[in-house]
Amino acid sequence: MENINHPLLNWIPIKLIEKDNEIYFEWLYLADLKYDDPFFDETIAKCKSHTYNSKPFKAVSILENLRDWSNELISVELKSLVFHVSRCGSTMLSQSLATSSENIMISEAPIIDQILRSDHFSWDEKTLLIKSVIKLLGQKRFPEQQHLIIKLDAWHIFNVDYLRSIFPETPFALLYRNPIEVLKSHQKMAGMHMIPNLLPSDVFGITAVEINEISFQQYRVLVLEKYFQGFLDFYDIDQNVVRLNYNEGMKNVIEKFISYIKVDYGATELDKMYERLKKHSKNDNAIFTGDSYKDEDLQIDFKKLIALYKKWDNEFITS
């Protein structure tokens, strides 16, 4: 294999570090660990105990190192970026795809979010960094690996135009679900992006005035409105997009996604993907019996959200 003798094989950048007004990148050694956890930070946590990663001094580099080293390693082809509205089957999609030995499935890598939200770089520097990081994360570490798929954080829909400028030919996927079900899921346990000010409100295009005028619960509705509007805006101008609806069933989602990215998996690989659907997305030791929110009552105004969802769904039906 091309990378077998390269000293950076199995090393990946995982974090930005700011020190003395300079930016550095922390690196992590993966050994033979594959990206098969529900979220990328879980994979990072597993690697922390490795001898190379538990030393008092961390492995760090500068921006120029990242660029140069990424060009020295062979990476697999980027097949798709997956955008989603949260609690819509994105983790199940990524977990199913991760079962294939042909795939490198990266699920919400923190370093990609750090770069996208950083104020320390020009747009040209960000572009260089995003490309370099993705190449390094997607380095070919095992002979059978052929396809790189990246699931982004939900709020990265607001970076979709910029990401399209970087990857003009890459198929993008927009995964969604009935927003009432999404809200009821967050009512049981809210994700960080659904809690005001855990992420800067300007990430979502939400002003401080808007936050002060609405309730904690209504904030979640506003975030979802922004997501669906972002989906609508991008879909209006971009044709290299596949729309994936959780409510049509995850097997249908997987089949449609695979067809769109034009990957011909063998029967064994497909069987593993479909078998994974029987387990809980975040715990492959637990059987998935479906989720239901019939008893959850939402004391909020979601008329605008439903209108956006119906507009999105109508475009889906008629397109």
Side-chain angles (χ1 to χ4, degrees), residues 235-278:
Y235 194 69
D236 280 345
I237 62 171
D238 198 289
Q239 300 303 309
N240 194 9
V241 182
V242 61
R243 302 163 55 123
L244 305 172
N245 184 357
Y246 173 89
N247 297 106
E248 293 183 350
M250 282 305 299
K251 188 171 187 292
N252 178 76
V253 166
I254 291 171
E255 290 173 345
K256 191 172 182 180
F257 179 75
I258 290 172
S259 174
Y260 195 76
I261 65 173
K262 296 181 173 61
V263 174
D264 186 19
Y265 295 103
T268 301
E269 299 299 298
L270 291 172
D271 286 344
K272 287 190 292 186
M273 292 184 201
Y274 299 143
E275 187 67 22
R276 182 64 182 84
L277 296 179
K278 299 176 182 178

Side-chain angles (χ1 to χ4, degrees), residues 19-20 34 46 50 70 81 135 149 196 218 221 246 275 281 283 293 299:
K19 186 174 182 181
D20 300 327
K34 294 187 177 182
K46 285 182 178 178
H50 191 281
S70 70
L81 298 183
K135 287 177 68 176
I149 301 161
Q218 196 66 39
V221 179
Y246 173 89
E275 187 67 22
S281 63
N283 180 7
Y293 306 108
Q299 300 294 328

Side-chain angles (χ1 to χ4, degrees), residues 56-297:
F57 299 102
K58 302 299 182 185
V60 298
S61 70
I62 57 175
L63 185 153
E64 287 76 13
N65 297 145
L66 213 68
R67 176 196 61 205
D68 296 342
W69 295 343
S70 70
N71 291 326
E72 295 176 7
L73 285 162
I74 303 300
S75 301
V76 303
E77 182 183 359
L78 177 62
K79 287 294 186 178
S80 184
L81 298 183
V82 178
F83 300 82
H84 60 98
V85 299
S86 80
R87 308 294 169 87
C88 60
S90 64
T91 304
M92 179 55 79
L93 174 63
S94 63
Q95 281 286 277
S96 295
L97 293 167
T99 63
S100 172
S101 59
E102 297 175 15
N103 291 336
I104 300 176
M105 181 69 233
I106 296 172
S107 185
E108 301 182 12
I111 190 170
I112 295 177
D113 182 55
Q114 281 187 296
I115 294 170
L116 287 173
R117 294 202 285 123
S118 175
D119 296 323
H120 294 287
F121 307 110
S122 68
W123 286 109
D124 286 343
E125 288 173 327
K126 272 191 183 184
T127 297
L128 181 153
L129 287 173
I130 290 292
K131 287 183 175 180
S132 298
V133 163
I134 286 178
K135 287 177 68 176
L136 289 161
L137 294 179
Q139 62 182 266
K140 189 163 186 172
R141 300 167 53 226
F142 302 96
E144 62 273 19
Q145 292 178 327
Q146 302 177 48
H147 321 295
L148 174 61
I149 301 161
I150 298 176
K151 181 183 74 135
L152 299 162
D153 290 293
W155 52 92
H156 291 154
I157 187 58
F158 308 122
N159 303 106
V160 68
D161 293 332
Y162 169 63
L163 290 167
R164 173 55 83 210
S165 73
I166 303 177
F167 304 108
E169 305 299 327
T170 301
F172 285 7
L174 304 180
L175 178 58
Y176 69 102
R177 181 182 189 176
N178 184 311
I180 301 303
E181 295 172 2
V182 177
L183 288 171
K184 288 182 176 181
S185 176
H186 282 291
Q187 183 163 276
K188 284 189 172 182
M189 183 179 291
M192 62 177 291
H193 55 123
M194 293 295 184
I195 300 174
N197 298 318
L198 273 188
L199 285 174
S201 60
D202 59 2
V203 167
F204 309 93
I206 297 173
T207 66
V209 173
E210 286 178 296
I211 293 177
N212 292 332
E213 290 178 345
I214 59 178
S215 68
F216 183 86
Q217 291 78 12
Q218 196 66 39
Y219 179 81
R220 300 171 190 162
V221 179
L222 184 56
V223 169
L224 270 184
E225 288 173 7
K226 301 291 186 181
Y227 287 163
F228 275 98
Q229 188 63 61
F231 274 30
L232 282 162
D233 291 345
F234 184 65
Y235 194 69
D236 280 345
I237 62 171
D238 198 289
Q239 300 303 309
N240 194 9
V241 182
V242 61
R243 302 163 55 123
L244 305 172
N245 184 357
Y246 173 89
N247 297 106
E248 293 183 350
M250 282 305 299
K251 188 171 187 292
N252 178 76
V253 166
I254 291 171
E255 290 173 345
K256 191 172 182 180
F257 179 75
I258 290 172
S259 174
Y260 195 76
I261 65 173
K262 296 181 173 61
V263 174
D264 186 19
Y265 295 103
T268 301
E269 299 299 298
L270 291 172
D271 286 344
K272 287 190 292 186
M273 292 184 201
Y274 299 143
E275 187 67 22
R276 182 64 182 84
L277 296 179
K278 299 176 182 178
K279 306 294 182 63
H280 194 281
S281 63
K282 298 177 176 66
N283 180 7
D284 60 7
N285 293 315
I287 302 297
F288 181 64
T289 57
D291 49 16
S292 176
Y293 306 108
K294 292 180 180 178
D295 298 328
E296 298 288 325
D297 187 25

